[in-house]
Amino acid sequence: MTKLLKTRLAKEKPTGHDLVLVGCLEREAPETGGLPTPVAAAARRAAGRGGWSGKRGQTSTVQVGGKSPTTVVLRGLGRRARLDRRALKRWLGEATRVAAADGFRRPLLALPALQLTAGFSGALFLFRELALSGYRFDGFLKKPPGGRLRDIRVVAPPGDLAPYQDGWRAAGKVAEAIGFARDLANTPPNVATPEWMAEQARGLAAERGMEIEVLGTEELEKRGMGGILAVGGGSANPPRLVRLEWGSGDRSVSFVGKGVTFDTGGISIKPGANMDEMKFDKSGACAVLGIAQGAADLELPFRFRAYLPLAENMPDGRAYRPSDIVRCYNGKTVEVLNTDAEGRMILADALAWAAEEKPDDLVDFATLTGACVIALGQHGAGLFSHHDDLAADLLAAAGEANEYLWRLPLWPEFGEEMKGLHGDLQNIGVRWGGANSAAAFLSNFVRGARRWAHLDIAGPAYVGRGNKRAFGATGYGVGLTLAWLMTGAGRS
Ligand code: BES
Ligand code: MN
Ligand code: ZN
């Protein structure tokens, strides 16, 4: 299944490595305390060479002979004061890529003592990013390209090993959850139909002992879930609504994820350019399945529910059309003015069901609007919530998880725009502030939940084809949500 770089913690003075990669801060001596004596001496020799300063990306290489020869590579981390999570993540990616390209098989990584990588949360960050640096989606290639590392050992910093081991262990589960979300979102829409997504949820539920319910067309009709039925009506791949439940505890947390397996726009069809990217329009649902796997594997002490509305938005003789009036699960009617504003139509039913079950917290993830990408760029998601305390916790967790998240307003004027003429609501507002009006639309379906937050992940859910190396789903949202839940569980 998911392909990640396997990480391990090295024991004292580890031997048998063909490569020892030593991260070295600019204008500081290499820290070699945990390394075997000949390797440490070699690292000092490499640092003593003329021209070595340790600036970012600079390397200095020395061979150590003997029975099993070792290559020692010093790699500059730049200045301590300039080294943040993003810079270190990039450094790890480059370092492991070069090591793989050079054909090394048993690499060892030694880093200087850094605030960034200290304790539980530092280990969580370091090992999560290392593991994900090996992520590939190559299951559809006849012959996957070689030249990747399988595993890497890391020298543990001196001091209290217990929190470090805990962080390492948690990182493995978080990285697997993110990898799982990426695999699902990367799967093409001729395979990843609504029923296929439901099948993946069934697989997860069976493995993790979760309760699962999958509603098909008939059940959706019986329950009056007109939004999902309308959007899914134009596709030969019928819609589904998945509900998962697991865990126990006093606090209940529910998640909803937009699962449009492909968004053509429907009758309000999209232009052809980059339409292929709309396979990633299921990324919200994929993130929620990743969160479910991670929360279960980390044994987080809450009562969880997850809802995945799944539909394919296609133009067809049975497709819904502009001016249709659709009744949603909570009884509110929506006048459809644009069939490309389909995400909110399927979220309406799923949110209303989730809210009806009265969770403490309800959080939804959706690749909802191009407007959010215009506002924030592709690097981060928009956060909408009426609840300052929940918003603050999610923003803090995003920082912890190295994901960008920015709060945007839910002013009442946006809600006014979404009021309908012949229906209670209409599915589009005015041209401006499209991410905000979409969020305001959703707020009509969350009564019953104590707190609610909406994350518009249209920008950061995937990297486009312009960046060949990074192209594909990111699993955005899984890391920040698990960080939020771990803090709530007293672990961080
Ligand atoms: N899936 C799109 C939003 C999207 C855009 C996701 C870019 C990822 C990248 C969504 O269903 C959509 O089409 N939204 C419309 C809404 C409009 C019709 C009000 C949009 O953003 O143009
Ligand atoms: Mn759309
Ligand atoms: Zn969409």
Side-chain angles (χ1 to χ4, degrees):
M1 219 354 216
T2 299
K3 289 189 175 164
L4 299 175
L5 175 56
K6 193 167 178 171
T7 64
R8 294 168 210 264
L9 275 171
K11 54 181 191 313
E12 275 288 285
K13 314 271 177 194
T15 53
H17 293 279
D18 57 358
L19 170 69
V20 178
L21 196 58
V22 183
C24 193
L25 290 160
E26 191 166 346
R27 298 196 209 135
E28 297 189 29
E31 288 178 34
T32 55
L35 296 172
T37 315
V39 173
R44 282 193 297 275
R45 244 184 296 134
R49 288 208 180 124
W52 171 259
S53 67
K55 69 170 189 285
R56 252 192 69 89
Q58 188 187 24
T59 58
S60 178
T61 304
V62 174
Q63 305 291 337
V64 180
K67 266 206 312 290
S68 51
T70 303
T71 302
V72 179
V73 176
L74 240 57
R75 192 176 185 90
L77 286 160
R79 300 217 189 130
R80 187 186 283 272
R82 288 258 191 97
L83 191 64
D84 60 10
R85 288 188 173 209
R86 260 152 223 275
L88 184 55
K89 174 182 168 176
R90 235 175 301 125
W91 187 95
L92 292 167
E94 280 159 28
T96 53
R97 193 162 55 242
V98 171
D102 290 346
F104 292 107
R105 316 229 50 140
R106 282 166 286 117
L108 175 74
L109 172 65
L111 290 172
L114 295 165
Q115 196 55 45
L116 275 181
T117 56
F120 177 88
S121 103
L124 178 57
F125 163 75
L126 172 63
F127 290 107
R128 182 188 63 216
E129 299 306 349
L130 256 185
L132 289 170
S133 78
Y135 179 81
R136 298 286 181 282
F137 185 72
D138 56 15
F140 285 84
L141 299 175
K142 185 171 180 192
K143 190 176 178 299
R148 47 188 298 262
L149 294 179
R150 257 167 235 296
D151 49 34
I152 190 165
R153 263 175 218 272
V154 180
V155 181
D160 189 2
L161 201 58
Y164 217 75
Q165 270 167 337
D166 288 348
W168 166 72
R169 211 168 292 118
K173 294 168 183 172
V174 173
E176 283 291 335
I178 295 173
F180 177 46
R182 287 183 184 179
D183 280 346
L184 295 172
N186 281 329
T187 301
N190 56 330
V191 175
T193 60
E195 172 53 24
W196 184 90
M197 286 288 293
E199 195 49 38
Q200 307 312 301
R202 284 190 198 102
L204 177 69
E207 282 167 19
R208 306 300 197 279
M210 300 168 174
E211 222 178 89
I212 182 165
E213 201 176 338
V214 179
L215 309 187
T217 306
E218 262 177 48
E219 295 98 323
L220 290 165
E221 274 164 5
K222 255 185 242 149
R223 289 179 196 233
M225 295 184 157
I228 299 174
L229 286 165
V231 175
S235 173
N237 303 306
R240 297 283 185 266
L241 174 56
V242 173
R243 178 187 177 281
L244 290 165
E245 185 169 350
W246 73 99
S248 61
D250 296 336
R251 183 171 152 209
S252 64
V253 185
S254 293
F255 298 104
V256 174
K258 171 179 173 182
V260 172
T261 58
F262 194 74
D263 183 11
T264 65
I267 297 299
S268 314
I269 198 161
K270 288 180 182 294
N274 303 323
M275 203 203 272
D276 59 285
E277 294 184 356
M278 285 303 118
K279 78 162 177 172
F280 298 117
D281 213 19
K282 59 185 179 303
S283 296
C286 301
V288 168
L289 283 178
I291 291 164
Q293 177 180 304
D297 288 353
L298 291 162
E299 299 177 73
L300 296 172
F302 307 116
R303 198 166 149 178
F304 291 106
R305 299 189 195 93
Y307 307 79
L308 318 175
L310 301 161
E312 187 176 39
N313 191 20
M314 297 287 266
D316 179 77
R318 272 176 290 271
Y320 79 138
R321 44 182 106 57
S323 79
D324 278 1
I325 299 179
V326 169
R327 191 180 305 277
C328 295
Y329 180 61
N330 70 352
K332 290 190 186 177
T333 57
V334 182
E335 193 171 17
V336 177
L337 299 186
N338 188 320
T339 63
D340 199 10
E342 85 296 340
R344 61 199 77 183
M345 301 296 300
I346 67 169
L347 290 167
D349 289 329
L351 283 170
W353 188 15
E356 182 188 69
E357 302 195 76
K358 301 204 173 315
D360 292 315
D361 291 324
L362 174 58
V363 182
D364 77 76
F365 301 86
T367 48
L368 202 60
T369 68
C372 200
V373 194
I374 300 286
L376 298 176
Q378 296 184 300
H379 311 291
L383 169 65
F384 297 87
S385 182
H386 295 297
H387 300 93
D388 293 346
D389 48 356
L390 176 58
D393 288 349
L394 289 170
L395 291 170
E400 187 66 34
N402 205 24
E403 295 182 319
Y404 282 137
L405 182 64
W406 200 259
R407 193 173 180 191
L408 295 169
L410 270 172
W411 295 318
E413 284 78 358
F414 292 115
E416 290 300 318
E417 274 174 38
M418 304 308 288
K419 288 193 175 148
L421 295 174
H422 284 177
D424 298 317
L425 297 165
Q426 54 189 39
N427 80 334
I428 58 170
V430 303
R431 178 162 178 214
W432 315 111
N436 312 66
S437 52
F441 177 93
L442 298 181
S443 73
N444 286 285
F445 300 91
V446 299
R447 173 164 302 175
R450 195 168 64 78
R451 305 190 295 183
W452 163 67
H454 157 62
L455 281 81
D456 191 332
I457 62 170
Y462 63 93
V463 174
R465 284 171 206 271
N467 182 344
K468 284 206 165 162
R469 193 140 53 209
F471 170 68
T474 59
Y476 181 96
V478 177
L480 82 86
T481 304
L482 294 176
W484 171 56
L485 295 169
M486 276 190 270
T487 311
R491 277 190 249 168
S492 82

